[in-house]
């Protein structure tokens, strides 16, 4: 049974928001940011800026998936 989403607060361009992701996604998101020399907030802001009408949590999940697929 998958873990329940965990809500975390992020600051995107000076604005606070919260994002709910399953713990496995948080565990995958942190090293991606570190690999790029970014904070989670900075990477999330980048994803937010190009996500269009998709929810931020969904956009982050897709970003993680694409990263590990080599995309």
């Amino acid at each position: 049974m998958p873990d329940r989403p965990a809500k975390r607060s992020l600051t995107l361009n000076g604005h606070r928001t919260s994002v709910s992701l399953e713990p496995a996604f948080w565990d995958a998101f942190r090293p991606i940011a570190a690999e790029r020399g970014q904070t989670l907030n900075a990477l999330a802001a980048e994803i937010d800026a190009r996500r269009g009408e998709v929810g931020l949590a969904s956009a982050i999940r897709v970003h993680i998936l694409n990263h590990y697929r080599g995309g």
Side-chain angles (χ1 to χ4, degrees), residues 9-64:
S9 293
L10 297 172
T11 302
L12 309 180
N13 303 312
H15 296 89
R16 299 280 290 170
T17 190
S18 60
V19 177
S20 293
L21 296 172
E22 294 75 10
F25 282 102
W26 285 117
D27 291 345
F29 194 34
R30 286 183 195 93
I32 294 170
E35 202 175 284
R36 297 176 60 160
Q38 293 180 294
T39 63
L40 280 181
N41 290 331
L43 181 52
E46 238 179 63
I47 294 167
D48 183 52
R50 63 175 190 267
R51 70 183 166 100
E53 294 185 28
V54 174
L56 181 57
S58 294
I60 291 171
R61 285 185 190 95
V62 169
H63 180 86
I64 294 166

